[in-house]
Structure formats: C-alpha cells, structure tokens
Amino acid sequence: PELRCREIPKGLQYLQVDTLNPADTNTLVTNYYQAGPGNIREHVILELVSTIMDEPVFDTLRTQEQLGYSVYNNLRNTFGVLGLSITVNTQATKYTADHVDQRIEAFIKTFVKEHLTEEKVADAIKSVSKQKLRADVTMEEEVSRNWNEILSVEYLFNRYEKDVAVLNDISLEDIKEYFCPLMVDGEKCRKFSVQVLGAKEKNEEAVDTDQDFKLNTLKLREESIEDMDKFKDSLKIHPVLYIVE
C-alpha cells in the first residue's frame, strides 16, 4: 500500500501522557521538528546537520547537564516528509518534562551559534562523502542498500552518488537557511513534542501486565493535545512522496 504522512501545523504541539507503569520513573521526551516534503538536496542538508549535532547534543544535554542517560538526535524521513528530532530519556524524580523541553530548545539556539560553522560543515561534508563513497564491504550491505530502495518504491540505486554530487555544492548559508525555520523560528517551525511522564515517586508494587492499558493524556499547557484521534483527523495529509531527485 502507498503510505502518506500527515502535516504538523505551524507552531507548538504537545502530546503528554502518563506512564503505563506506576513503578517506572523514566520520562521520555522527543521533540520532532517537521520540515515538509523533501528532495535529495534537503535530505543531504539534514544529514549534515544531524552529523554535526551528534556530538554536541550528547555532550551538552547528557554529559554537562546530566538530563538523562540516553540523549540523541535523528534525521526523520517519514514517507518523503523530512524532519529532525531530539530525544532525552530522563528521570521524573530528577527533572520535569517541561524542563527537558526547555533545555532542548536552549541547546538548539546554542547549536546554531557555536556549532554551525564553516569548519564543522566542511568536516561533515568530508565525513559524509567518505561514508557514501565507501564500497560495500559485504554482500549483506549491498543487498540491504538496494533492497531498501525496492521497499521504498523509489528504485534510486545510485542514491549515494547523487548525494555526493549535491554535498559538494552545499554551503553554511544553505544549511542555516533551511535549518533555522525548521527548529529555531517559533512562528515558522512545526514542532510536535511527545512526552511520556514517569512516576514522580518509585512504586515497587507489581503491575498486572494482563490488564487493558489506556493512555491518560494530560492537559499541562495551552498547546497540549487532549484528544489524539481528533487532532490526527484535523491534519492535512501529504500526497504520496518519493525522494528521487
């Protein structure tokens, strides 16, 4: 079947739910920033941003601020709709989801000022190009790469070569022009923050795993989504998209 992605509205959207396990103090925050239908050039730009962000997002939010043991960013390609996400796994006994969300936003602003530089972009271009130009080491790698093109119905078997051709034509300004409206400009960005809130106090009582679980959505701020189904039904659906040029 042909799958399509829904468009996140401009502005801020928050889906906040309680943990299903009252004995679990883990809080998970994923901030997803949706760009929109993409092409090869825009996908490559986000690859560079993700590569540059890998180290500082972990160093800042995990090592320095110690928000949680698991911190990472992801390039998102959801059936042709591009985006970027940052995830932090923290403890409800230490930090609130709201605090983590604020620190993610603060990091993004710092990232633009301190890490989106000519030198780091040049290093990322070299690193990503080298990775894409590397020959498949095993038969499994080659089959996997080509099979993914078949599964996505895009059939762009020379994708890496096209990526590298675009990489050499991308500048720092190109990256900032695409990235800032995506994650920095509050009026233009399409942000969807999913927050699973852990128990604030440890509860050692066993949980009956056979019971029927029901998500308890929370209204903790003005932008909180109370009815996920209603929200989903209100969203525009993108056409079937393929990133082939």
Side-chain angles (χ1 to χ4, degrees):
E2 292 181 316
L3 300 176
R4 300 188 292 172
C5 179
R6 298 178 188 268
E7 180 182 76
I8 302 298
K10 287 184 179 180
L12 311 177
Q13 284 74 220
Y14 288 81
L15 178 63
Q16 298 156 314
V17 298
D18 274 329
T19 178
L20 296 175
N21 183 356
D24 191 352
T25 61
N26 282 289
T27 287
L28 192 72
V29 177
T30 293
N31 284 0
Y32 167 60
Y33 306 85
Q34 188 180 78
N39 53 40
I40 290 177
R41 180 180 179 80
E42 291 167 346
H43 190 278
V44 165
I45 287 176
L46 283 182
E47 275 193 88
L48 292 174
V49 170
S50 182
T51 299
I52 297 170
M53 187 181 288
D54 278 342
E55 188 276 331
V57 73
F58 184 87
D59 180 61
T60 301
L61 301 181
R62 168 68 177 89
T63 306
Q64 296 180 33
E65 300 191 18
Q66 299 185 0
L67 294 181
Y69 57 85
S70 180
V71 176
Y72 55 90
N73 66 281
N74 273 330
L75 188 167
R76 302 276 183 162
N77 178 1
T78 312
F79 309 116
V81 176
L82 301 181
L84 202 68
S85 67
I86 295 177
T87 297
V88 176
N89 189 170
T90 189
Q91 297 292 310
T93 53
K94 295 182 179 180
Y95 299 107
T96 65
D98 189 52
H99 175 73
V100 173
D101 175 53
Q102 291 174 12
R103 297 316 303 157
I104 290 175
E105 293 299 321
F107 163 76
I108 291 171
K109 293 178 181 177
T110 302
F111 173 75
V112 173
K113 295 178 182 178
E114 298 182 3
H115 298 283
L116 281 187
T117 64
E118 295 281 2
E119 181 181 0
K120 291 192 175 184
V121 168
D123 289 343
I125 289 175
K126 290 180 182 177
S127 175
V128 174
S129 295
K130 183 178 180 181
Q131 184 179 9
K132 290 180 180 294
L133 291 173
R134 181 181 66 86
D136 295 315
V137 177
T138 64
M139 181 69 74
E140 182 181 5
E141 279 188 27
E142 184 176 3
V143 170
S144 177
R145 175 171 56 81
N146 290 307
W147 186 243
N148 285 335
E149 292 295 331
I150 294 171
L151 290 177
S152 66
V153 200
E154 292 179 327
Y155 309 118
L156 194 63
F157 300 111
N158 64 335
R159 183 178 300 277
Y160 286 175
E161 288 84 351
K162 286 184 174 292
D163 285 348
V164 171
V166 171
L167 271 168
N168 296 324
D169 191 39
I170 291 176
S171 67
L172 172 61
E173 289 307 311
D174 293 331
I175 293 176
K176 286 186 174 181
E177 184 179 336
Y178 186 78
F179 177 79
C180 290
L182 170 63
M183 299 182 74
V184 181
D185 191 331
E187 294 183 356
K188 295 181 180 179
C189 78
R190 303 175 187 273
K191 174 183 173 182
F192 186 41
S193 180
V194 179
Q195 304 175 357
V196 180
L197 310 185
K200 293 182 180 179
E201 296 181 0
K202 289 187 177 181
N203 185 342
E204 302 300 336
E205 293 184 9
V207 177
D208 181 7
T209 55
D210 292 329
Q211 65 178 299
D212 292 330
F213 289 110
K214 182 179 179 180
L215 287 178
N216 178 31
T217 56
L218 305 170
K219 179 69 174 178
L220 301 180
R221 54 191 302 157
E222 183 180 347
E223 304 90 351
S224 295
I225 298 167
E226 295 183 85
D227 188 330
M228 187 59 196
D229 290 332
K230 184 178 179 180
F231 172 74
K232 184 174 69 174
D233 290 340
S234 72
L235 301 180
K236 168 188 172 182
I237 303 178
H238 288 292
V240 177
L241 300 166
Y242 301 109
I243 298 180
V244 294
E245 58 183 24

